[in-house]
Amino acid sequence: MAVDYFLHEKIWFEKYKYDDAERRFYEQMNGPVSSSSHQQENGASTILRDIARARENIQKSLAGSASTTSSGPAGDQNELLSRISHLEVENQNLRSVVADLQMAIFKLESRLNALEKSSTSHQPSPVPPTQKVEPFSVPSKKVELPPASPAKKVEPAAAEEDDDDDIDLFGSDDEEEDQEAAKVREERLRQYAEKKAKKPGLIAKSSILLDVKPWDDETDMAKMEECVRSIHMDGLVWGASKLVPVGYGIKKLQIQCVVEDDKVGTDILEEEITKFEDYVQSVDIAAFNKI
């Protein structure tokens, strides 16, 4: 940076040589005259050579500084012009890209407006009325019970006579047949009701898992289980049991039972178990499932 800076400045680096030569020249001019003319000529020649050399150096330095100053701004100007042209090209490209984007956005907006108009103008087509499908009509057949008496032979004869003559000569026989059929129907209905009454109905049962908790860890769990199993009720069956640790050395009795819902309720069962106050602290229902 320092070298580049000094190249652009007009500085006379060898001025001290010129000053020395000028000083010696004036000293010889104003000083005492030497005895030897040959020495004066030699001194003058050396001074002149030094002055000429200094002038030459000054001219060279000035020429170099002028060339550098003249070439520097021109180069900078050329570089600036190239950058400006490059920026103009980029600006034109960006303008073309922006124009393309604006056109694409305009097209998208037009398509969106068209879609909105079509969606608002479109109305859902009315739902066609559902047709009620009626089931096929099945002709009902009247089930006739067979008569107890041999009246089958009389019925076709009566039908033939009805075709031959409008006078019903066997009206009394038809009434007797209707009465006999009604009696047979009533008898069969009575037998069906008796058979249904004798058939045992479905008994609703439940499986209950009970948690019987003792007072402390010193409670006799075997005795407590014996007391619980000593409860007998109609519709109560005891199942498997096990001891489940609760904490601090305390265990609870978990026992399974099956009860009939109409005969045994959970409230009655809990009340009966909690009667053993010496062993049982509380009873909880852990699980309840219908069978």
Side-chain angles (χ1 to χ4, degrees):
M1 291 294 295
V3 175
D4 295 338
Y5 176 77
F6 286 116
L7 288 175
H8 295 285
E9 295 293 328
K10 296 180 180 180
I11 299 173
W12 187 5
F13 292 98
E14 297 179 353
K15 184 177 183 298
Y16 67 95
K17 295 180 179 180
Y18 180 82
D19 293 337
D20 292 337
E22 186 176 4
R23 180 175 54 79
R24 287 194 297 269
F25 174 74
Y26 284 110
E27 284 179 354
Q28 291 177 3
M29 291 291 293
N30 298 325
V33 179
S34 62
S35 60
S36 175
S37 62
H38 180 69
Q39 291 179 354
Q40 292 179 356
E41 290 178 359
N42 290 333
S45 62
T46 55
I47 292 170
L48 292 174
R49 278 199 305 274
D50 292 337
I51 292 171
R53 191 179 298 163
R55 287 179 178 176
E56 185 178 357
N57 291 331
I58 291 169
Q59 289 178 359
K60 286 182 180 180
S61 63
L62 291 174
S65 63
S67 63
T68 53
T69 53
S70 62
S71 61
D76 294 338
Q77 187 175 5
N78 292 330
E79 185 179 0
L80 182 61
L81 291 174
S82 63
R83 291 183 64 183
I84 290 171
S85 62
H86 183 67
L87 289 173
E88 288 180 353
V89 173
E90 288 184 355
N91 192 10
Q92 291 179 358
N93 294 330
L94 289 174
R95 285 183 179 178
S96 63
V97 171
V98 170
D100 294 338
L101 289 174
Q102 289 178 352
M103 184 62 67
I105 291 170
F106 177 74
K107 290 181 180 179
L108 288 174
E109 288 180 351
S110 61
R111 290 182 63 185
L112 182 61
N113 293 329
L115 289 173
E116 288 179 353
K117 290 180 181 178
S118 63
S119 62
T120 53
S121 61
H122 177 69
Q123 295 180 355
S125 58
V127 180
T130 57
Q131 297 180 356
K132 186 177 180 182
V133 180
E134 296 181 355
F136 293 102
S137 60
V138 180
S140 61
K141 295 182 179 179
K142 185 178 180 182
V143 180
E144 295 180 356
L145 298 175
S149 61
K152 294 181 180 179
K153 297 180 180 179
V154 180
E155 186 176 358
E160 292 177 358
E161 291 180 359
D162 288 339
D163 295 335
D164 296 338
D165 193 359
D166 295 334
I167 300 173
D168 188 7
L169 300 176
F170 299 95
S172 59
D173 295 336
D174 294 337
E175 291 177 359
E176 291 177 359
E177 290 176 0
D178 294 338
Q179 291 177 0
E180 291 177 357
K183 290 179 181 180
V184 172
R185 189 183 302 108
E186 290 176 359
E187 182 67 21
R188 291 188 176 182
L189 289 174
R190 185 180 61 79
Q191 292 177 0
Y192 176 74
E194 291 178 358
K195 185 177 180 181
K196 188 175 181 182
K198 291 179 181 179
K199 186 176 180 181
L202 183 64
I203 300 173
K205 295 182 179 181
S206 300
S207 175
I208 304 174
L209 183 64
L210 298 173
D211 285 344
V212 185
K213 298 178 181 178
W215 287 104
D216 51 18
D217 57 344
E218 296 179 357
T219 304
D220 190 357
M221 300 302 294
K223 185 65 177 177
M224 186 175 71
E225 183 179 356
E226 183 180 352
C227 293
V228 172
R229 290 184 180 273
S230 65
I231 300 171
H232 297 287
M233 295 182 185
D234 186 16
L236 172 63
V237 178
W238 293 107
S241 63
K242 63 178 180 179
L243 297 178
V244 180
V246 178
Y248 301 101
I250 301 173
K251 296 181 179 180
K252 65 180 179 181
L253 175 65
Q254 203 169 66
I255 187 167
Q256 186 83 24
C257 66
V258 177
V259 298
E260 294 182 9
D261 296 342
D262 295 338
K263 296 179 181 180
V264 181
T266 56
D267 296 337
I268 299 173
L269 194 59
E270 292 178 5
E271 184 179 354
E272 291 294 328
I273 294 174
T274 51
K275 285 181 180 180
F276 302 99
E277 298 178 353
D278 296 337
Y279 302 99
V280 179
Q281 178 190 5
S282 62
V283 180
D284 295 328
I285 298 175
F288 187 92
N289 297 316
K290 290 286 185 180
I291 300 177

